[in-house]
């Protein structure tokens, strides 16, 4: 059984809620965060509505489980970004993403969060983890590689599919 939340040395993984929008709107406010993904920084109302939908934990048709965590530094609990996993195919496959606000980039937080997320997913029984990354987004590719994902030859909407398959069963949790 997976721990309730992913864990890492420097980060708290707290389940996303609509109440996080007020703080996260500032974390996600830099235009440069959207260079490779498209879009623009969300307004407070847009982010609050998005978080309300995501906090439901499931897609409307029930085929996807949505796990979203706000990343906060230890011990100050300052929000610096988020990770998310969309779990599908009866819990066997997950698509993951990570975003770290620009003031905290380049400090290894994204790699730390992605590794912890993959560990958590493996313990939860997921066997295949995927991420879609723009080929020019070298920072995100580095995070994916650090977490154990490898690029495939598949592209979708201009993004390359990165993937990791767990071939060994998870080790028993010490908890």
């Amino acid at each position: 059984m997976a721990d309730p939340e992913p864990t890492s040395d420097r980060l708290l993984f707290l389940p996303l809620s609509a109440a996080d929008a007020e703080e996260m709107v500032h974390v996600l406010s830099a235009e440069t965060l959207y260079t490779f993904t498209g879009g623009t920084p969300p307004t407070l109302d847009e982010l609050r509505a998005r978080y309300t939908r995501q906090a439901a934990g499931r897609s409307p048709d029930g085929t996807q489980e949505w796990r979203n965590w706000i990343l906060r530094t230890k011990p100050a609990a300052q929000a610096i970004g988020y990770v998310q996993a969309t779990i599908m195919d009866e819990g066997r496959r997950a698509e993951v993403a990570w975003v770290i606000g620009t003031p905290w980039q380049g400090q290894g937080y994204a790699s730390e969060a992605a590794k912890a997320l993959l560990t958590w997913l493996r313990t939860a029984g997921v066997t295949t983890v995927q991420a879609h990354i723009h080929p020019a987004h070298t920072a995100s590719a580095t995070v994916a590689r650090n977490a154990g994902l490898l690029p495939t030859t598949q592209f979708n909407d201009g993004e390359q599919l990165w993937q990791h398959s767990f071939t060994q069963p998870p080790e028993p949790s010490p908890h």
Side-chain angles (χ1 to χ4, degrees), residues 5 12-21 24 28 47-57 66-72 81-84:
E5 312 303 338
L12 299 168
F13 291 69
L14 299 176
L16 168 145
S17 75
D20 294 310
M24 287 299 293
L28 303 175
L47 197 57
R48 191 176 288 125
R50 179 185 313 158
Y51 284 3
T52 298
R53 285 189 307 275
Q54 289 175 333
W66 297 338
R67 301 300 298 251
N68 297 276
W69 294 274
I70 300 298
L71 298 172
R72 295 180 177 276
Y82 67 86
V83 293
Q84 60 187 40

Side-chain angles (χ1 to χ4, degrees), residues 25 77 86 95 109 111 118 134 137 140 148:
V25 75
T86 300
E95 291 191 6
Y109 287 123
S111 290
L118 264 69
H134 190 283
H137 198 332
S140 198

Side-chain angles (χ1 to χ4, degrees), residues 4 10 29 33 56 63 74 105-106 117 133 137 151-152 167 175:
R10 300 183 300 158
S29 65
L33 287 177
T63 61
K74 290 180 181 177
Q105 291 179 0
L117 179 58
I133 300 171
H137 198 332
T152 70
T167 56
H175 304 287

Side-chain angles (χ1 to χ4, degrees), residues 72-90:
R72 295 180 177 276
T73 57
K74 290 180 181 177
Q78 178 183 26
I80 64 165
Y82 67 86
V83 293
Q84 60 187 40
T86 300
I87 303 169
M88 57 202 100
D89 297 340
E90 298 175 353

Side-chain angles (χ1 to χ4, degrees), residues 124-167:
V126 170
T127 56
T128 302
V129 179
Q130 300 175 322
H132 294 87
I133 300 171
H134 190 283
H137 198 332
T138 56
S140 198
T142 298
V143 169
R145 195 173 303 282
N146 287 343
L149 285 89
L150 295 173
T152 70
T153 58
Q154 296 179 31
F155 285 81
N156 187 18
D157 291 330
E159 293 184 324
Q160 187 171 20
L161 176 67
W162 287 64
Q163 185 167 290
H164 179 79
S165 295
F166 298 110
T167 56

